[in-house]
């Protein structure tokens, strides 16, 4: 079905006004109000254009699904298309005489019917089709004789013609030129350039038929003008233009939105390999890695089975929260087993043959893939240039000497860096030449011009080539769980957010969007709840500004969800904030239900008191059911 057909049956391109806080269900209601026929589609899905000029489904956005905020973000970068899921939609043309409740009704000058403002042009076109249907003038009083080629009227004719268009509202705007005299042609061209102008009537008028014949002749002239415009609209071109506009951002590899969408699509594909049957795991917080190492070698264990986590000694049924906390703890402890070194968010692998033979590097790869497969966090800690060399064997940016934490290596690299004269070059070669040769770099050709190149060679040796066996084992571990490393290499730009370290932190605005407040209907309760939310938001601002010792936004998120960061596919829904009445004699500690993604806050608590109890809750809650 082309664009014109979609418009005619009420399913063409349009805009939908959606409140900023609309939920996914409210968004659907508003869309179906704009496109009523979608109600009979058995549900619908959101689509976007692809670089191959196809339409594909938009994956579920993180943090709120297809709510107003996420759809607004998507719509900034591409058009959104809707497709029914279960049923074909009625493609019959909408009745043009049935306007919406906000439509202004206008009188058709040719049949005197009241027609909606946006339907008037289509209505006149339908009258033209009736005129061309082959019926005689007696059978159809709207059928008109074709206009003659000449427009050279006498003075009286011209006077009557001017009278016929004395009121410009009688005729819709002209859209193409009509064969008339030289002056008339110029007037018509002006009208084409500015469609808000009406050209003077130029068609010959049969005066012996009176005013009615004149009016019908004017209509005939107009529909002859209108028809070429309708034929000139290329629906294929319009659709192609829409797709091309949608492709502009997707074709740009630097577009974060396109990469995020690609990443989510690949993660959804990766999740499809999960098995249905779960596996029970009993773990101890204090000996997490030992618990995991023992569990994964037991009979019946599979990384593809969803883990059902039991924290030893804690009261919790794993409906999602314990799993998120388990994988958060697991990925946090991986760097501490001796496999990584370097600066925060710029880690690279150690070269440790003992750990290599024990299989620690491969085990780490398995743990990361296991976490990503079952909704846990990724492992965004690796040096960006290490990752670049892992996926392409080349570093795409220079490596900073200060990214290395080994002081001896930094000292030797600094000697080369400071070789700014021939004498200093000779001294550098004498001092560190043998060490550089042992690391695959020939310093005997060192000059002041190529010293930076030599430094980069030694840095790549240190963060990648030196520990290539360890890197290979880590990649092997990733690949052993559903071929994750092969997926990473195939879309390494999109997957970089899963493994590359970043300094980006949770912010107050982005954190706030993860939550949804469930207000009370009672006015008295509402006032107390507003006081609590004010205290909550002030507390979050202080956490972002690091004004509270030892407490950040990631700690609050972990308290509410079990995760310190938003999972790759986001949470399954926004976190509900609910309220409870504080009982006399009890501290108003907040309560988190991480499985159901609910945070219960005390109603009517002041800013100072809320900060006190929230800080205490975050620092003194070592596990589920403990305080």
């Amino acid at each position: 079905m082309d664009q014109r057909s979609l418009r005619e049956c009420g399913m063409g391109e349009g805009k939908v006004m959606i409140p900023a806080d609309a939920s996914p269900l409210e968004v659907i209601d508003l869309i179906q109000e704009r496109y009523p026929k979608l109600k009979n589609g058995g549900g619908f899905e959101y689509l976007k254009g692809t670089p191959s000029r196809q339409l594909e489904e938009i994956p579920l956005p993180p943090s709120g699904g297809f709510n107003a905020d996420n759809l607004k973000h998507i719509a900034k970068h591409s058009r959104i298309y809707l497709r029914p899921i279960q049923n074909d939609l009625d493609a019959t043309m909408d009745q043009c005489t049935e306007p919406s409740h906000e439509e202004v009704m206008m009188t058709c000058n040719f049949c005197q019917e009241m027609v909606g403002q946006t339907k008037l042009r289509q209505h006149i076109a339908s009258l033209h089709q009736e005129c061309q249907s082959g019926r005689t003038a007696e059978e159809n009083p709207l059928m008109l004789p074709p206009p003659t080629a000449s427009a050279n009227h006498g003075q009286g004719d011209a006077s009557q013609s001017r009278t016929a268009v004395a009121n410009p509202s009688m005729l819709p705007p002209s859209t193409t030129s009509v064969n008339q005299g030289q002056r008339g042609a110029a007037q018509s061209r002006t009208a084409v350039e500015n469609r808000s102008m009406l050209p003077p009537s130029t068609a010959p008028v049969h005066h012996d038929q009176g005013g009615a014949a004149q009016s019908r002749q004017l209509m005939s002239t107009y529909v002859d003008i209108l028809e070429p415009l309708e034929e000139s609209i290329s629906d294929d071109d319009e659709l192609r233009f829409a797709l091309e506009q949608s492709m502009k951002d997707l074709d740009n590899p630097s577009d974060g939105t396109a990469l995020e969408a690609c990443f989510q699509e690949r993660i959804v594909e990766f999740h499809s390999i999960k098995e249905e049957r779960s596996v029970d795991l009993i773990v101890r917080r204090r000996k997490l890695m030992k618990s995991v190492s023992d569990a994964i070698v037991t009979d019946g264990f599979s990384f593809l089975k969803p883990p059902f986590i039991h924290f030893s000694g804690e009261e919790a049924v794993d409906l999602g929260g314990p799993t998120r906390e388990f994988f958060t703890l697991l990925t946090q402890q991986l760097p501490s087993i001796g496999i990584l070194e370097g600066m925060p968010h710029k880690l690279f692998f150690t070269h440790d043959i003992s750990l290599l033979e024990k299989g620690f590097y491969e085990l780490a790869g398995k743990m990361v893939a296991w976490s990503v497969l079952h909704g846990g966090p990724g492992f965004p800690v690796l040096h960006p240039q290490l990752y670049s060399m892992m996926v392409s064997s080349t570093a795409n940016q220079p490596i900073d000497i200060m990214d290395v934490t080994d002081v001896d290596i930094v000292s030797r690299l600094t000697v080369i860096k400071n070789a700014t004269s021939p004498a200093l070059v000779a001294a550098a070669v004498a001092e560190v030449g043998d060490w550089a040769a042992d690391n695959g770099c020939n310093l005997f050709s060192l000059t002041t011009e190529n010293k930076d190149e030599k430094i980069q060679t030694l840095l790549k040796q240190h963060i990648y080539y030196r520990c290539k066996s360890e890197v290979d084992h880590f990649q092997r571990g990733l690949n052993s769980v559903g071929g994750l490393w092969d997926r990473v290499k195939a879309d390494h730009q999109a997957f970089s957010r899963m493994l590359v370290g970043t300094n980006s932190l949770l912010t107050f605005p982005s954190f706030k969007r993860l939550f949804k407040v469930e207000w009370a209907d009672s006015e008295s309760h509402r006032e107390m709840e507003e006081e609590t939310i004010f205290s909550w938001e002030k507390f979050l601002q202080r956490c972002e500004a690091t004004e509270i010792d030892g407490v950040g936004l990631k700690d609050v998120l972990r308290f509410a969800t079990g995760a310190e960061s938003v999972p790759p596919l986001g949470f399954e829904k926004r976190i509900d904030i609910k309220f409870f009445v504080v009982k006399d004699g009890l501290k108003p500690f907040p309560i988190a239900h991480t499985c159901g993604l609910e945070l219960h806050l005390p109603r009517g608590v002041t800013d100072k008191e809320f900060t006190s109890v929230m800080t205490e809750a975050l620092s003194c809650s070592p596990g589920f059911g403990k305080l």
Side-chain angles (χ1 to χ4, degrees), residues 14 92 131 153 203 281 354 361 363 366 457 466 510 599 606:
T92 58
C131 291
H153 314 305
L281 293 181
S354 175
Y361 297 93
L363 177 65
K366 292 178 179 179
T457 298
R466 173 182 64 101
S510 64
L599 179 63
T606 63

Coordinates of all heavy atoms in Angstrom, one line a residue, residues 14 92 131 153 203 281 354 361 363 366 457 466 510 599 606:
G14 N 1.4 11.2 10.4 CA 0.8 12.2 11.2 C 1.6 12.3 12.5 O 2.6 11.6 12.8
T92 N -10.3 0.5 3.6 CA -11.3 1.3 2.8 C -11.1 2.8 3.1 O -10.7 3.2 4.2 CB -12.7 0.9 3.2 OG1 -12.9 1.1 4.6 CG2 -13.0 -0.5 2.7
C131 N -17.6 13.7 -12.5 CA -17.8 14.3 -13.8 C -17.2 13.5 -14.9 O -17.6 13.6 -16.1 CB -17.1 15.7 -13.7 SG -17.9 16.9 -12.7
H153 N -11.5 36.5 -24.2 CA -12.9 36.9 -24.2 C -13.0 38.3 -24.6 O -12.1 39.1 -24.6 CB -13.4 36.8 -22.7 CG -13.0 35.5 -22.1 ND1 -13.2 34.3 -22.6 CD2 -12.3 35.2 -21.0 CE1 -12.7 33.3 -21.9 NE2 -12.1 33.9 -20.8
A203 N -11.1 30.7 -17.7 CA -11.8 29.8 -18.5 C -12.9 30.5 -19.2 O -13.6 31.4 -18.7 CB -12.3 28.6 -17.7
L281 N 21.2 -22.0 42.8 CA 22.6 -21.7 43.3 C 22.5 -21.2 44.7 O 21.8 -20.2 45.0 CB 23.3 -20.8 42.4 CG 23.6 -21.2 41.0 CD1 24.3 -20.1 40.2 CD2 24.5 -22.4 41.0
S354 N 50.8 -18.4 36.4 CA 50.2 -19.2 37.4 C 48.6 -19.1 37.3 O 47.9 -20.1 37.2 CB 50.6 -18.7 38.8 OG 49.9 -19.5 39.8
Y361 N 41.6 -16.5 33.8 CA 41.2 -15.6 32.7 C 40.0 -16.1 31.9 O 39.1 -15.3 31.6 CB 42.4 -15.3 31.8 CG 43.6 -14.7 32.5 CD1 44.6 -15.4 33.0 CD2 43.7 -13.3 32.7 CE1 45.7 -14.9 33.7 CE2 44.7 -12.7 33.3 CZ 45.7 -13.5 33.9 OH 46.8 -12.9 34.5
L363 N 37.8 -18.3 33.1 CA 36.7 -18.2 34.0 C 36.1 -16.8 34.1 O 34.9 -16.7 34.1 CB 37.2 -18.6 35.4 CG 36.1 -18.6 36.5 CD1 35.0 -19.6 36.2 CD2 36.7 -18.8 37.9
K366 N 33.9 -16.3 31.1 CA 32.6 -17.1 31.3 C 31.7 -16.3 32.3 O 30.4 -16.2 32.0 CB 32.9 -18.5 31.9 CG 33.6 -19.4 30.9 CD 33.8 -20.8 31.5 CE 34.5 -21.7 30.6 NZ 34.8 -23.0 31.2
T457 N 54.7 2.0 20.6 CA 55.0 0.6 20.3 C 55.2 -0.1 21.7 O 54.6 -1.2 21.9 CB 56.2 0.5 19.5 OG1 56.0 1.0 18.2 CG2 56.6 -1.0 19.3
R466 N 52.1 -8.3 25.4 CA 52.7 -9.0 26.5 C 51.8 -10.0 27.2 O 52.2 -11.1 27.6 CB 53.1 -7.9 27.6 CG 53.6 -8.4 28.9 CD 53.9 -7.2 29.8 NE 52.7 -6.5 30.1 CZ 52.0 -6.7 31.3 NH1 52.5 -7.5 32.2 NH2 50.9 -6.0 31.5
S510 N 18.7 11.5 35.0 CA 18.6 10.2 34.5 C 18.1 9.2 35.5 O 17.3 8.3 35.3 CB 19.9 9.7 33.8 OG 20.9 9.6 34.8
L599 N 10.0 0.7 45.7 CA 10.7 1.3 46.8 C 9.6 2.0 47.6 O 8.9 2.9 47.1 CB 11.7 2.4 46.3 CG 12.4 3.1 47.4 CD1 13.3 2.2 48.2 CD2 13.3 4.2 46.7
T606 N 10.5 14.8 56.9 CA 11.2 16.0 56.6 C 12.5 15.7 55.9 O 13.0 14.6 55.9 CB 11.5 16.9 57.8 OG1 12.3 16.1 58.7 CG2 10.2 17.2 58.5

